[in-house]
Amino acid sequence: MTKPAPSQLPEVNEDAGTSSVSRRTFLRNSGTVTAAASLLASAPRGVHAAADNTIQVALVGCGGRGTGAAANALSVKNGPIKLVAMADVFESKLNPSYDQLVKQFPDQVDATKDRRFIDFDGYKHAMDCLSPGDVVILATPPAFRWPHFTYAIEKGLNVFMEKPVTVDGPSSRKMLELGQQSVAKNMKVGVGLMCRHCAARQELYDRIKGGEIGDILMMRAYRMAGPTGSADTKRMPAGSNELLYQIANFHGFLWASGGAFSDFLIHNIDECCWMKDAWPVEAKACGGRHYRADSVDQNFDTYSVEYTFADGTKLLLNGRTMPGCHDEFASYAHGTKGLAVISTAAHTAAKCRIYRGQKITPKELAWSFPPDEPNPYQLEWDHLIAAIRDDRPYNEVERGVQASLVTAMGRMAAHTGQVITYDDILNSDHEFAPDVAKLAFDSPPPLRSDSEGRYPIPKPGLVTSREY
Amino acid sequence: MPVASFRLSSIPAVFTIAMAIVPVLRGDDPPPLDVPDAVAATEAEMKPYREMISLSEASIDMLPIQGGTFQMGTPEDDPEIEEDDGPQRTVKISPFWMSKFEITWDAYDVWMSDLDVFRRRQENLVASPREQLAEAFQLSQPTKPYTDMTFGMGKRGYPAICMTQHAARTFCRWLSAKTGRFYRLPTEAEWEYACRAGTTTAYSFGDDPEQLDDYAWYEANSEGAYQRVGKKRPNPWGLHDMHGNVAEWVLDQYTEEGYEPSDETLVDPLVIPMTLYPRTVRGGSWDQFADECRSAARDGSDEEWIAQDPQNPVSIWYLTDALHVGFRIVRPLHPPTPEEDAAKWDRSEPVQVERPQAEAGEH
């Protein structure tokens, strides 16, 4: 794969956005991989070592998304694949996840009780159940991504990791370095930015490249809905383990998840940057918390970001988590010749469309992707497993870190009230949870509350070099 | 009310209760909320009134519908007759109020997004006894929609869509608890009686589909989306959008083979639904042809309407692919006793139970 070396990335500026070579290469690969997948069931080869060609999977992080990812993994139809180990810090997550997967895939779940681990180092035990070439799913909150990925590299495993993959500058620098190591070891690594694997968006991308909307002048992205996930976090119940409380409510704490901003907005940011074929070089932003009541999390409930690309093109992003307001969960690209709808309502179905002119009206519809789009959550797994069985280069870490980083750039711009450049966020020295790899059940949490159970919040204009 | 005060984010969904075991309005309940013109003891006293949804700006305009007898279904000699919308039967309907418009997002979102509870929390208000009763029907709905359920078609003043019949029924029970007045979905017979508004023609304005554009949003004029309620002419009894805009849930099971023939006059008939699919929607929609918007035209729900739900098991609240389905509500002049309600109006099977492990997860 002809990716630019990750080590060049700290010097981004103009280069910040030019991952186009790797992107197009990726697209070509994913196309061939898909085509190849159907031929491969009887002809697996390459790095996968298991004698019978069964790919073994371990699930680290058994919440809703991790369980969904495991189900997608077990649904790949190009050869034997089974789930052999699971890990979480919550029994209340692991057990129902196991029960549901057993029910859905009775012949493919072989995570016996001795291979189900409830502990902060459970990820090591789960990965110890695998052989080089098997796959580990890293689906904990992103704070733990880099230590878990470090161990996966040590073990020579292929990896599927959920987005975001980093939450701040220091962890991004670590992950870029780890990504480089994983490429050098020929590890196949998928990142859960599944929209990149969506057939509708891929065709739209080709059409935009083919000039169907002219040059992109401006893009808009929205995720505006009511309170989502654990972002609106209530005060900790008396007597709780504070570390576990923060992990359970990971959307509420920047160290754990990058907050509501990173977890909820990364897909819309990423799909726009994909269509633009570049990463933005700076961000300025507004945001605030209008409704807080007794919530103690670190999030704002409105975010409005202006991202600027190296050529001056803008991406305007709006995020809101207030109930009762106008809802919109969509991305658009405005070009000199027309308008592209990148996504319509959430992630799938994307219902990608192109309109002549700048208005969404049936009369001006120039193209639309046909109904019954394939599910991108499944496609991302079909592509990863096919690459493993066919031993093709397949590594999405760099792109995943870049997407996480430009997301954090917009978040930091809102939380500090300052213009934040790609360099600023990449080289930021505020590591939210430097000791995350050492956490254990009895550890103090990375963020401490005051005597009334409240946590530090961003103070735009007052605290400007860090987010809190 | 032992189950009234759960906060949705703090309890596992396994503790939530099935709707069927929550008691309905009882004699010792707090009095109804006072709104002008909402009280009537006899048919003659029924007036239009505006139902208010407390702790929100939403309201629902209700119109009185006098009782009467009509021929339900499409006449046999009508060339548009479908297998499912005959044979005609004589049906007697008791008086009720019906909402003048389809229920809009403005009202539905108060329930769906717990806006009133949210407001209480922000303003540090104490729940009134009625609001405490109502909580049993809203906070027991722990999963919020995963997607933008307006699908970019508009929200304020637009009809709510994509709800299951169970969600529409639960909205009615919440509204009943909140106001102290008994609301429910219409029966199929009530719906058609109100739609016809005394007419015997294919539409409430006559037989000519060419005139439908004046009365309805349908495939030919909707530009591929629902429209604000009340923008087209009403029917003779003042009801808007009975033809078109969004199809409307009624209580009945759908029967593809049509109605059970009867020589006798049926009084307030209801086919109690005993399977989840198909159940009946009426009135046609923005996405349907003129003949599907006739007063007698029927449609049945289908599992296709939830095909894209990414959750397993699928939601009991949202129909991801029913962008054409909404509802309106009725209030019978003479509300049933709790026993009558449980035996007839509120009865449906299978009982809908929230799935275990429901959580508002991010993907």
Side-chain angles (χ1 to χ4, degrees), chain B residues 19 23 31 90 101 103 108 115 137 146 166 181-182 189-190 196 235 244 249 252 255 283 286 304 326 337 344 346:
Chain B
M19 288 302 131
T90 304
F101 308 112
I103 297 297
Y108 192 71
L115 292 180
F137 300 103
Y146 162 67
H166 176 66
R181 283 174 280 278
F182 180 85
E190 287 166 339
R196 289 186 171 280
N235 78 359
W249 280 118
D252 301 57
T255 47
W286 59 269
E304 289 282 296
T337 64
K344 181 173 179 181
D346 189 42

Side-chain angles (χ1 to χ4, degrees), chain A residues 64-65 93 96 163 223 229 232 234 263 267 291-295 323-325 327 345-347 349 362-363 377, chain B residues 7 9 109 113 115 118 121-122 144 146-148 150-152 155 223-224 308 312 323 357 359-363:
Chain A
R65 184 76 275 275
K93 291 288 180 191
K163 44 53 63 171
R223 182 163 182 175
D232 184 32
K234 307 298 184 298
D263 206 20
H267 291 294
Y291 295 118
R292 184 169 283 281
D294 50 349
S295 300
C325 303
D327 292 329
H347 306 313
K363 287 192 278 288
Y377 290 101
Chain B
R7 183 62 228 172
S9 59
D109 209 21
S113 300
L115 292 180
F118 183 77
R121 202 182 129 217
Q122 298 305 326
K144 297 302 167 194
Y146 162 67
T147 184
D148 158 26
T150 71
F151 291 87
K155 192 164 182 186
E223 299 225 323
Q308 292 182 67
N312 185 7
L323 277 64
Q357 286 310 305
E359 61 174 319
E362 159 58 0
H363 293 264

